[in-house]
Amino acid sequence: MVDTTRGASPGGARSSVPSGRGLAGCTFFPANGGLRGHLRVPGDKSISHRAVLLGAVSDRSVQVEGFLHSADTLATLAAVQALGVAVEDHGHGRLTVHGRGWAGLVEPDNVVDVHNAGTLMRLLPGLVAACPFLVVLTGDASIRRRPMGRVLEPLAAMGATVWARAGDQLPPVGIRGGALRGVRHEMTVSSAQVKSCLLLAGLRASGTTEVIEPGPSRDHTERMIRMGGASVEREGSPTGPGLVRVYPAETLRLPDLAVPGDFSSAAFPLVAALLVPDSELTVEGVGLNPTRTGLLDVLRAMGARLAVMVDAGAPGAEGVGESTGSVTAGSSDLKAVDIGAAHVSLMIDELPIWALAAARAEGVSRLREAGELRVKESDRLSALATLLRALGVRVQEYDDGLDIEGRPEGWASGRIETHHDHRLSMVGAVAGLASRRGVTVDDVTCTNVSFPGFVDTMKKLTGSGRSV
Ligand code: S3P
């Protein structure tokens, strides 16, 4: 049950607000009777960004279905339009991106505002690194704290001219494209954003570009580059370190694209179903790319009741696109688990909701080698420690992780600070559904960054009950 009243308690006065849009605070009440049924989640954010960015340099117009209409991905649409690419938005997640190759891109006549979108901030410099003009990018307060040296330094080594604040580390950033040469770049931390940026630049470089990753990270860019007819390969272990190599391409010719549901969004209702008694919930049409679904392995190791059904004939079956399927979760008694580097990059965006599951598990769960969480939309290690403590959970914070002392008996109530971080807001909502008296979340508007309609979806899932 969801009360979209600012900070109300169940018995308190409430001014009723009809939908999740335009809200600030919200109280989420226990989902008595369990979460049951089937649902679909909005399109995958990572793939939606890439469909538009790669569509913009494709040498044919690309139809996209299932595009995520969210704050982050609309920033990407606006960015390619600023680069001179026509985009038709037919509604209901259907777009036509009228790419005319790299030669169709023009110098934007203003600063490109990425808003809160880290993926756009990291990938766009790679896309334009060989274009003979200037692109300046900035974003919101959270974006202006996020490290950019990790992409700007290798792009400069490839031949682009770059500028940024704080010694070329922080946005705003400027990039003037140049003649690029391929480099071999070794990442100290696995990052799909850094890898993707360099692969996009590598398509326009002379010679090959190689990116060494300490562990696998999401590979949507590689899959889409291959779908466009260019060559990219990965050497190494599928579950360990690897070298990703891209070859220059004169053109990219993308087929029409279908974006699956976002596994990272599905993770919230699925974990809610694990934590709320009498639940059995299925999320359908969700992307099951193995570089994204590390959370499922970890939850299974914790004793979660989960079932996965891969869709027959899904694009993944041909080995070019992304597998999709249904994931069903049922109420479960969880036990603690330890997480290290091997899992972190395969569930980087699911670690916040995993932390809530760990808070209900029997025993102490240890998360390590997850320092990257400090440079996401918020400092997620510190914010998660505060969030869990607000529920009465004992947490020890480390430079690169957390120890979480699980409380299988759950929590009564709490007030959650999100720092305007969409994923923390959704963690707070799930904490409320799984609570005894309700949890107040200070900002739910930020869920529009990745999961528009989140509050309404939660309302529907929990039935009419006490929801407003
Ligand atoms: C993303 C990669 C991840 C993830 C982000 C989206 C992407 O970042 O946290 O939300 O679309 O490539 P890093 O790869 O930098 O960890």
Side-chain angles (χ1 to χ4, degrees):
M1 288 96 196
V2 181
D3 181 355
T4 41
T5 306
R6 229 177 241 263
S9 65
R14 48 181 87 175
S15 60
S16 142
V17 183
S19 86
R21 236 161 281 138
L23 296 171
C26 190
T27 301
F28 294 83
F29 290 110
N32 296 325
L35 303 175
R36 310 193 72 87
H38 293 240
L39 81 149
R40 285 184 178 263
V41 291
D44 187 284
K45 181 156 78 72
S46 291
I47 300 175
S48 293
H49 281 302
R50 287 159 171 82
V52 170
L53 292 171
L54 286 160
V57 294
S58 172
D59 73 353
R60 73 180 276 276
S61 296
V62 180
Q63 312 281 345
V64 183
E65 268 179 34
F67 175 76
L68 169 70
H69 261 267
S70 75
D72 264 24
T73 47
L74 291 178
T76 295
L77 277 193
V80 301
Q81 284 168 330
L83 284 159
V85 178
V87 181
E88 285 176 82
D89 188 340
H90 310 290
H92 304 290
R94 288 178 50 245
L95 299 177
T96 309
V97 184
H98 292 286
R100 285 183 291 121
W102 273 271
L105 302 183
V106 298
E107 184 172 75
D109 64 6
N110 203 349
V111 172
V112 174
D113 186 351
V114 307
H115 298 275
N116 191 244
T119 300
L120 176 58
M121 191 57 156
R122 266 66 177 266
L123 268 58
L124 195 67
L127 193 77
V128 299
C131 295
F133 51 70
L134 176 70
V135 180
V136 181
L137 297 115
T138 192
D140 68 8
S142 150
I143 278 288
R144 295 195 307 275
R145 286 192 297 269
R146 298 185 67 176
M148 285 301 290
R150 52 178 66 188
V151 295
L152 296 181
E153 281 156 27
L155 287 179
M158 292 177 82
T161 307
V162 300
W163 304 264
R165 201 165 54 86
D168 290 340
Q169 293 302 315
L170 296 177
V173 308
I175 174 151
R176 186 182 289 284
L180 302 183
R181 57 195 167 270
V183 293
R184 170 179 281 206
H185 178 72
E186 182 160 358
M187 297 190 290
T188 46
V189 179
S190 288
S191 163
Q193 293 180 347
V194 174
K195 174 182 67 175
S196 299
C197 171
L198 302 181
L199 296 180
L200 293 176
L203 288 170
R204 308 304 293 159
S206 60
T208 57
T209 299
E210 296 174 336
V211 185
I212 298 171
E213 50 181 2
S217 59
R218 67 190 69 192
D219 63 356
H220 307 300
T221 306
E222 292 92 309
R223 289 171 188 251
M224 221 178 269
I225 286 176
R226 282 189 206 110
M227 290 173 88
S231 295
V232 53
E233 59 204 20
R234 187 179 193 275
E235 287 170 7
S237 132
T239 53
L243 181 150
V244 185
R245 178 182 303 115
V246 70
Y247 294 85
E250 276 306 310
T251 54
L252 210 58
R253 173 161 282 236
L254 278 188
D256 295 339
L257 300 168
V259 180
D262 197 327
F263 181 83
S264 298
S265 296
F268 295 97
L270 289 172
V271 170
L274 298 179
L275 302 189
V276 174
D278 301 320
S279 298
E280 179 141 323
L281 188 71
T282 301
V283 184
E284 296 172 340
V286 67
L288 293 175
N289 179 322
T291 60
R292 293 287 298 280
T293 53
L295 175 72
L296 295 179
D297 301 329
V298 168
L299 289 175
R300 279 199 195 95
M302 295 171 79
R305 286 202 299 126
L306 288 167
V308 175
M309 286 255 300
V310 178
D311 292 337
E318 285 103 59
V320 284
E322 304 273 346
S323 306
T324 61
S326 303
V327 185
T328 302
S331 321
S332 304
D333 294 328
L334 301 176
K335 55 183 192 302
V337 75
D338 290 347
I339 296 189
H343 288 108
V344 164
S345 62
L346 300 178
M347 56 183 290
I348 185 79
D349 292 339
E350 290 67 68
L351 287 167
I353 192 63
W354 166 80
L356 190 75
R360 280 285 292 277
E362 176 87 58
V364 179
S365 293
R366 293 180 192 82
L367 169 67
R368 292 292 184 277
E369 299 180 88
E372 273 298 283
L373 289 183
R374 294 203 182 276
V375 290
K376 293 293 178 190
E377 285 82 332
S378 65
D379 175 344
R380 286 184 174 160
L381 286 179
S382 147
L384 275 170
T386 310
L387 186 159
L388 296 177
R389 284 181 195 131
L391 300 172
V393 177
R394 287 162 68 104
V395 183
Q396 177 75 38
E397 185 181 339
Y398 297 88
D399 279 352
D400 68 339
L402 300 171
D403 282 357
I404 302 169
E405 212 171 292
R407 290 171 62 113
E409 72 279 18
W411 43 80
S413 60
R415 298 182 76 85
I416 301 302
E417 276 177 53
T418 60
H419 305 270
H420 309 296
D421 180 332
H422 54 131
R423 300 207 195 275
L424 297 185
S425 181
M426 292 187 275
V427 170
V430 175
L433 302 187
S435 70
R436 288 192 292 279
R437 290 205 304 274
V439 169
T440 299
V441 179
D442 70 349
D443 176 19
V444 291
T445 313
C446 58
T447 58
N448 285 329
V449 158
S450 59
F451 196 153
F454 173 76
V455 173
D456 290 338
T457 302
M458 289 295 136
K459 276 187 188 180
K460 277 191 207 123
L461 275 183
T462 53
S464 49
R466 274 199 314 232
S467 55
V468 292

